[in-house]
């Protein structure tokens, strides 16, 4: 494991996983991952199915807490403070570390309300109208929906719905956006739009993206972490981090044979 | 692919013998169609028989009088048939029932779906549904012998028969309906929607009331409307506990007579068949049918219009 290749610049680390293991009930899902996520960069987590990349992603904003029987060991820090400290409210964590999911999941509300709803509850004191407009603009959706803000969010196409979900996430001004295979349910054109969008968002936010699509990882990310899975005697899969480094290095001259095999399409 | 060649190849290894099958297929279609027609025809027959008797009734009693008279005195020598009298009683007991059942049913549904542990839910939901299996005559005596005396402790002027305890007990009896159907609707809201809400830094309560309930709204409203039509049609409880005094007004402390209670009274009494009082039960039955039909249509329309389709 060559996880520490980038730790000399650890001061810039925004999110930090140290010896993180995740259990679902009695089953170990992810084993001993240490990884630093850097501010204003896009970090891609890649690897075959069942390698625990989504599970790890969910540790970063404590969405694993919502799964019955899930348990996180090790330490996850955000700007130096432990996310799993006893006094930390997961609601507050999620407020600052947003998430976009695999399948677009707009609320059953109007396009406007999809964005305004959380902002209002979170006590936003500025103009909600402006917030809706800026968020939709940043998510590159404004021009398509500005005349139908009252229509249901579910009336949009899949790609538009996903951009609405991104707009919704950035509206509450988080510092980090976690994206769990945000393009896997989308067509190639919508995928390209979301990728462009992510590159624009990079200057303001720290983005961590889980993707199955290696081209996508190489196109958009600054750093890439490659995960692999191995089967235990009981038959369930345990994921672990194989290699982490600059995206260019991971794709052109990986240190590990498994990474080489995966990025060249030999398995996975 | 020789199996599909025409005419059949005798040398083929695959020789399906579907000659009989085709006739069976036909027979099955006819048989199932027959059963479907029987159930539809029964409904049509009921409505038609109601309709004919109702028309007979209105030959004697003008519709205008039926809708505007303020007395219901079918057995007097100069009978009056003001349906408003019975409607007001039905409205009163149903309204009280809904006041009881909606909060009880909805809050239990929310608790069961969102807050109860899976283990508790597994026990609690069937237990709640058992309530729906209690015969309504039992509820009727429960209202008459338990609820009314209990309420009289606090409301001394409460009659032995009254709309209040009948309404409360109808409410209890339809609570499982609302709870169970609403719980299904709430539980069916995709997990992804909740995750989306949590990911925006919302608490559980904010998620439940801000995201999950609005998404389940059509199912919840449908369950409530269904419960209303059940309350309107409830018979045993009102016949036993609400009294049999046709009285116009919305005073819940006095005995009243609902549409259903009137039908029971006439059907069980010695009112001669063919008399105008006897025919009046069909007019009342028709009114009852139209009211519940209206509720069912509203519910159907509401679900169609507001149902959210998730992929």
């Amino acid at each position: 494991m060559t996880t520490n290749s980038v730790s000399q610049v650890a001061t810039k680390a925004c999110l930090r996983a140290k010896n993180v293991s995740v259990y679902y009930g009695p089953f170990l899902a992810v084993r001993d991952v240490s990884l630093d996520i850097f501010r204003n960069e896009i970090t891609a987590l890649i690897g075959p199915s069942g390698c625990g990349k989504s599970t790890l992603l969910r540790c970063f904003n404590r969405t694993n807490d919502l799964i019955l029987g899930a348990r996180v060991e090790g330490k996850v820090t955000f700007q130096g403070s432990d996310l799993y400290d006893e006094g930390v409210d997961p609601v507050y964590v999620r407020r600052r570390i947003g998430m976009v999911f695999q399948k677009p999941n707009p609320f059953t509300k109007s396009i406007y309300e999809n964005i305004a709803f959380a902002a209002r509850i979170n006590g936003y004191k500025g103009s909600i109208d402006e917030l809706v407009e800026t968020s939709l603009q940043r998510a590159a959706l404004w021009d398509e929906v500005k005349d139908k803000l009252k229509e249901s969010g579910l009336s949009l196409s899949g790609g538009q719905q996903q951009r609405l979900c991104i707009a919704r996430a950035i509206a509450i001004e988080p510092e980090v956006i976690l994206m769990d295979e945000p393009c896997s349910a989308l067509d190639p054109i919508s995928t390209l739009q979301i990728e462009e969008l992510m590159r624009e968002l990079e200057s303001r936010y720290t983005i961590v993206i889980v993707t199955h699509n290696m081209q996508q990882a190489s196109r958009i990310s600054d750093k890439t972490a490659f995960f692999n899975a191995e089967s235990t005697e009981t038959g369930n899969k345990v994921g672990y981090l194989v290699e982490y480094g600059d995206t260019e290095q991971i794709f052109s001259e990986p240190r590990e044979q498994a990474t080489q095999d995966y990025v060249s399409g030999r398995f996975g | 692919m020789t199996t599909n060649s025409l005419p059949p190849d005798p040398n083929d290894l695959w020789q399906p013998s579907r000659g009989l099958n085709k006739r069976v297929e036909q027979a099955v279609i006819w048989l199932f169609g027959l059963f479907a027609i029987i159930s539809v025809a029964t409904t049509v027959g009921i409505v038609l028989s109601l309709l004919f008797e109702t028309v007979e009734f209105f030959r004697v009693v003008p519709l205008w009088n039926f809708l505007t008279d303020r007395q219901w005195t079918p057995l007097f020598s100069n009978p009056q048939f003001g349906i408003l009298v019975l409607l007001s009683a039905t409205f009163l007991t149903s309204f009280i029932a809904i006041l009881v059942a909606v909060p009880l049913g909805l809050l239990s549904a929310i608790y069961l779906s969102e807050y109860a542990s899976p283990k508790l839910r597994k026990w609690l939901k069937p237990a709640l549904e058992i309530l729906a299996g209690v015969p309504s005559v039992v509820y009727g005596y429960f209202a008459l012998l338990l609820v009314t005396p209990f309420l009289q402790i606090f409301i001394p002027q409460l009659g032995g028969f009254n709309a209040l305890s009948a309404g409360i007990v109808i409410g209890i009896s339809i609570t499982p309906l609302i709870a169970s159907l609403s719980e299904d609707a709430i539980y069916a809201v995709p997990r992804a929607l909740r995750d989306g809400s949590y990911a925006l830094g919302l608490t559980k309560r904010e998620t439940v009331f801000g995201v999950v309930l609005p998404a389940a709204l059509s199912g919840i409203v449908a369950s409530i409307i269904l419960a209303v039509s059940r309350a309107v049609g409830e018979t045993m409880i009102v016949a036993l506990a609400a009294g049999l005094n046709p009285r116009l007004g919305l005073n819940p402390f006095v005995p009243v007579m609902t549409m259903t209670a009137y039908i029971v009274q006439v059907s069980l009494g010695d009112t001669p068949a063919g008399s105008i009082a006897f025919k009046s039960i069909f007019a009342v039955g028709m009114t009852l049918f139209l009211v519940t039909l209206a509720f069912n249509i509203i519910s159907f329309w509401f679900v169609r219009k507001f149902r959210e389709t998730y992929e």
Side-chain angles (χ1 to χ4, degrees), chain A residues 58 61 66-68 91 94-95 97-99 101 103 105-109 117-118 121-122 152 154 168-169 172, chain B residues 118 191-204 206-207 209-212 214-216 308-311:
Chain A
R58 295 173 70 94
N61 71 342
L66 303 170
I67 298 172
L68 211 68
V91 170
R94 294 181 207 125
R95 166 73 187 74
I97 305 176
M99 194 164 193
F101 297 84
K103 253 173 64 182
N105 56 352
F107 299 137
T108 52
K109 300 175 186 295
F117 171 66
I121 290 189
N122 277 307
S152 166
L154 290 165
R168 180 175 82 181
I172 58 166
Chain B
R191 201 198 149 79
L193 233 53
R194 297 161 221 254
D195 284 347
S197 171
Y198 289 129
L200 292 171
L202 302 187
T203 64
K204 179 147 194 167
E206 288 157 356
T207 299
F209 287 92
V211 174
V212 177
E308 306 289 355
T309 40
Y310 319 104
E311 281 176 31

Side-chain angles (χ1 to χ4, degrees), chain B residues 47-243:
Chain B
V47 174
L48 281 182
S49 71
L50 261 183
L51 198 64
F52 288 138
E53 299 285 346
T54 307
V55 169
E56 287 287 303
F57 173 78
F58 282 120
R59 283 218 179 111
V60 182
V61 179
L63 182 63
W64 179 250
N65 290 14
F66 184 71
L67 294 177
T68 56
D69 275 357
R70 302 172 69 85
Q71 298 281 327
W72 183 269
T73 53
L75 298 175
F76 285 15
S77 52
N78 178 22
Q80 283 199 320
F81 297 93
I83 190 67
L84 281 181
V85 175
L86 303 186
L87 262 178
S88 74
T90 295
F91 173 80
L92 182 61
T93 51
S94 304
F95 185 72
I96 295 170
I98 288 303
L99 279 189
V100 172
V102 167
L104 263 181
L106 205 51
L107 292 179
S108 355
I110 294 170
Y111 176 74
L112 277 178
S113 170
E114 301 298 310
Y115 291 96
S117 69
K119 229 177 182 170
L120 189 63
R121 179 175 184 271
K122 218 175 97 191
W123 284 101
L124 220 51
K125 202 178 175 203
L128 193 74
E129 280 163 355
I130 286 174
L131 264 186
V134 175
S136 63
V137 65
V138 175
Y139 278 118
Y141 276 101
F142 176 64
L144 185 64
L145 303 176
L146 226 85
V147 177
T148 299
F150 176 73
L151 288 175
Q152 278 168 335
I153 301 172
F154 309 98
I155 313 165
Q157 78 270 30
L158 189 70
F161 297 102
N162 60 80
L164 183 62
S165 41
I168 290 173
V169 174
I170 296 173
I172 294 169
S173 78
I174 59 174
T175 294
L177 186 74
I178 294 183
S180 182
L181 293 181
S182 298
E183 202 264 355
D184 290 341
I186 297 169
Y187 200 69
V189 173
R191 201 198 149 79
L193 233 53
R194 297 161 221 254
D195 284 347
S197 171
Y198 289 129
L200 292 171
L202 302 187
T203 64
K204 179 147 194 167
R205 183 186 53 78
E206 288 157 356
T207 299
V208 169
F209 287 92
V211 174
V212 177
L213 287 190
L217 188 68
S218 76
I220 293 172
V221 171
S223 82
I224 292 174
I225 295 175
L226 202 62
V228 171
S229 60
R230 183 71 73 79
V232 167
E234 173 52 51
T235 307
M236 261 346 251
I237 299 172
V238 285
L240 287 170

Side-chain angles (χ1 to χ4, degrees), chain A residues 8-224:
Chain A
Q8 58 267 31
V9 278
T11 43
K12 261 181 71 190
C14 170
L15 275 165
R16 210 154 194 207
K18 195 135 181 34
N19 305 112
V20 169
S21 297
V22 185
Y23 294 83
Y24 290 129
F27 300 110
L28 181 62
V30 174
R31 188 188 67 207
D32 196 29
V33 172
S34 298
L35 177 81
D36 288 351
I37 308 285
F38 297 91
R39 189 163 299 137
N40 298 106
E41 284 191 352
I42 298 179
T43 306
L45 312 181
I46 63 169
S49 301
C51 69
K53 50 199 190 304
S54 291
T55 302
L56 180 71
L57 189 75
R58 295 173 70 94
C59 291
F60 287 134
N61 71 342
R62 294 192 60 172
T63 20
N64 274 332
D65 293 24
L66 303 170
I67 298 172
L68 211 68
R71 186 159 52 87
V72 177
E73 276 178 9
K75 203 167 176 179
V76 184
T77 55
F78 173 55
Q79 301 180 343
S81 49
D82 190 346
L83 285 183
Y84 286 83
D85 226 15
E86 239 173 69
V88 175
D89 182 359
V91 170
Y92 182 69
V93 172
R94 294 181 207 125
R95 166 73 187 74
R96 300 182 61 189
I97 305 176
M99 194 164 193
V100 174
F101 297 84
Q102 187 169 357
K103 253 173 64 182
N105 56 352
F107 299 137
T108 52
K109 300 175 186 295
S110 67
I111 295 168
Y112 182 94
E113 272 305 308
N114 256 284
I115 293 163
F117 171 66
R120 213 179 285 130
I121 290 189
N122 277 307
Y124 183 65
K125 291 283 176 260
S127 155
I128 301 262
D129 284 354
E130 269 170 39
L131 181 73
V132 169
E133 183 172 343
T134 2
S135 308
L136 285 169
Q137 268 165 352
R138 277 192 200 144
L141 189 60
W142 174 250
D143 291 332
E144 289 158 67
V145 302
K146 64 182 172 202
D147 299 321
K148 48 176 186 177
L149 292 175
K150 289 226 155 60
E151 280 176 35
S152 166
L154 290 165
S155 68
L156 299 174
S157 75
Q160 289 174 324
Q161 287 189 7
Q162 194 63 301
R163 277 179 283 152
L164 179 63
C165 291
I166 294 174
R168 180 175 82 181
I170 56 185
I172 58 166
E173 292 170 9
E175 283 136 86
V176 183
I177 303 174
L178 308 175
M179 296 187 169
D180 191 357
E181 299 184 42
C183 301
S184 68
L186 305 183
D187 62 85
I189 293 170
S190 307
T191 300
L192 266 179
Q193 284 173 320
I194 303 254
E195 285 181 12
E196 267 170 37
L197 174 59
M198 286 200 291
R199 255 187 303 221
E200 275 162 38
L201 295 175
E202 190 180 5
S203 59
R204 289 173 165 274
Y205 307 95
T206 305
I207 296 176
V208 187
I209 175 173
V210 164
T211 177
H212 264 298
N213 182 334
M214 279 177 288
Q215 282 76 33
Q216 183 171 61
S218 68
R219 274 196 300 265
I220 59 167
S221 69
D222 302 295
K223 297 218 164 48
T224 297

